[in-house]
Amino acid sequence: LQYSDLNVWAVKPGRMVSDVMATALREAGAFDAVTRELGERRPDYTMAGDLNSIEVYNSGDAWFAHLAISLAFTRFS
């Protein structure tokens, strides 16, 4: 993503989206564990992707975002 001089991000957008996705997967309970880094225990699956664009909509008191994301879910073995 290219950053505008007019917009300052507290956290890089790619990091924010991956944090939200990891939290959602963890809370869904569909997996035994969800981690963001490879550790000693090898995962059954990995998910990787690219955040291609973010469009931010300001609707008065509410803000919305439209994301374009490419994801790949792969069996680790």
Side-chain angles (χ1 to χ4, degrees):
L1 290 174
Q2 296 178 349
Y3 298 97
S4 165
D5 291 339
L6 302 175
N7 297 307
V8 179
W9 298 89
V11 178
K12 290 184 178 181
R15 180 69 182 198
M16 282 190 279
V17 171
S18 62
D19 286 345
V20 169
M21 291 179 71
T23 299
L25 289 170
R26 201 174 288 119
E27 290 176 356
F31 300 95
D32 292 336
V34 176
T35 60
R36 300 208 51 238
E37 304 288 332
L38 285 177
E40 291 181 19
R41 179 177 173 216
R42 295 297 177 207
D44 295 327
Y45 300 94
T46 59
M47 185 168 63
D50 293 309
L51 175 57
N52 301 311
S53 68
I54 298 176
E55 296 175 305
V56 178
Y57 300 101
N58 180 353
S59 180
D61 292 341
W63 286 67
F64 303 92
H66 176 261
L67 307 175
I69 301 174
S70 303
L71 296 174
F73 193 65
T74 308
R75 183 181 301 272
F76 189 77
S77 61

